[in-house]
Amino acid sequence: MTMLDKLYKPDQKRLNVLITGRPGSGKSYFIKHTLLAFNKKWRDPNGRIIYVDPKLEVDLGEKTMTTVEGLEKHLQKNRIAVIYPDPQYVEAETEDVIDTVFAIQEANPDFKAVILVDDAQTFLESTRKAPYQFKRLALTGRSKNLRFVGVAHMMVFNKSLEGSVSYLVNFSMPVKLYHKDAMVRYGFDAGEYAEQLSERPYSFVWFDVTAGKAQLMAPIDVKGESQAERKRQTEPSDS
């Protein structure tokens, strides 16, 4: 099984994925290009990719943008759906997306989807009770062929959901408090890799939570894109 499949493929076996790192560390660039590569190789006609982006930044190409209200109709004709939730109602609209996806799956048992939620710490801080929709997705999605990928700036997911993570993808995250969280919650020694990640921009650590094994990975190489283009897509915007 390739890294792309481990990241995104709904297979009723693997649990959720958490992608973490400080702003500008390469998360968005990594996600954009691995998602597009996965979509290219994932031949399942019933498979869909749904990306909820509160930052209003990701661009996955033509005919991918939709709204919460238009999601079901959009997925009838398109494999990828990108949703920019209303900044004033981010939490409610994200929960509506999850409810809609479950409704589609219940009406169409062959339906499969990977659901990415950026800035997941906004919804899933460890000090808060996880919304019902996220609990449902994280704890029961696997059996429905729905794969959840959370993207966050920190190694804080949610205590009620942490047992449902198969893989961590960790970019540069220099705050030592987050390293402690990673060890306590997942058994991942993030501090061991902090210096190496800082020295080589856009590299990351792949951590298999179940096996307890970590591997330092080189930055992904996208053919035809210069270092300047990578930096442009990776650096935080002024907005």
Side-chain angles (χ1 to χ4, degrees):
M1 173 147 315
T2 67
M3 181 182 73
L4 292 176
D5 288 337
K6 290 179 181 179
L7 274 171
Y8 301 126
K9 187 176 182 179
D11 60 5
Q12 296 189 312
K13 296 178 182 179
R14 289 167 178 78
L15 298 172
N16 309 304
V17 177
L18 181 59
I19 300 174
T20 63
R22 63 174 176 78
S25 59
K27 300 188 306 298
S28 296
Y29 186 90
F30 172 86
I31 292 166
K32 173 183 176 179
H33 291 291
T34 55
L35 265 183
L36 291 175
F38 174 69
N39 181 57
K40 189 175 181 179
K41 74 183 287 290
W42 192 27
R43 300 297 185 182
D44 194 321
N46 299 302
R48 298 292 186 270
I49 294 169
I50 301 159
Y51 195 128
V52 180
D53 180 24
K55 296 186 297 185
L56 318 181
E57 292 178 351
V58 71
D59 179 3
L60 296 181
E62 279 190 81
K63 298 182 179 180
T64 62
M65 296 297 303
T66 188
T67 62
V68 178
E69 296 78 9
L71 178 59
E72 183 173 1
K73 185 176 181 180
H74 178 88
L75 291 176
Q76 292 174 6
K77 297 181 179 180
N78 302 281
R79 286 181 58 85
I80 300 177
V82 175
I83 298 170
Y84 289 174
D86 186 320
Q88 292 186 329
Y89 307 103
V90 171
E91 197 162 329
E93 291 202 352
T94 303
E95 291 168 8
D96 285 346
V97 168
I98 297 172
D99 283 336
T100 299
V101 171
F102 270 97
I104 293 172
Q105 201 284 327
E106 288 171 2
N108 305 273
D110 293 332
F111 178 79
K112 303 171 185 175
V114 53
I115 305 168
L116 290 92
V117 179
D118 216 331
D119 279 349
Q121 74 278 354
T122 304
F123 317 97
L124 300 170
E125 291 180 64
S126 61
T127 55
R128 298 176 55 195
K129 183 178 180 181
Y132 163 76
Q133 288 82 358
F134 277 96
K135 281 188 177 180
R136 186 183 185 194
L137 177 60
L139 301 177
T140 71
R142 175 174 63 165
S143 65
K144 302 292 185 180
N145 267 320
L146 303 176
R147 189 82 182 277
F148 173 46
V149 179
V151 186
H153 294 159
M154 59 191 74
M155 194 66 68
V156 174
F157 197 62
N158 188 280
K159 289 183 178 180
S160 62
L161 307 180
E162 285 163 8
S164 298
V165 174
S166 282
Y167 303 108
L168 300 177
V169 182
N170 178 225
F171 289 79
S172 179
M173 192 171 57
V175 181
K176 291 184 179 180
L177 176 62
Y178 300 160
H179 298 171
K180 181 179 179 181
D181 286 336
M183 177 58 75
V184 171
R185 300 182 181 199
Y186 303 104
F188 169 48
D189 187 357
E192 179 182 346
Y193 299 94
E195 184 176 346
Q196 293 165 290
L197 292 176
S198 296
E199 290 176 349
R200 189 172 189 185
Y202 318 127
S203 59
F204 60 96
V205 178
W206 176 278
F207 183 68
D208 184 324
V209 177
T210 304
K213 294 182 178 180
Q215 183 177 359
L216 183 64
M217 309 290 287
I220 61 170
D221 182 22
V222 178
K223 186 177 180 180
E225 288 205 346
S226 65
Q227 186 72 5
E229 176 66 12
R230 179 192 291 270
K231 185 175 182 180
R232 186 190 69 77
Q233 294 186 45
T234 301
E235 290 299 315
S237 64
D238 292 338
S239 60

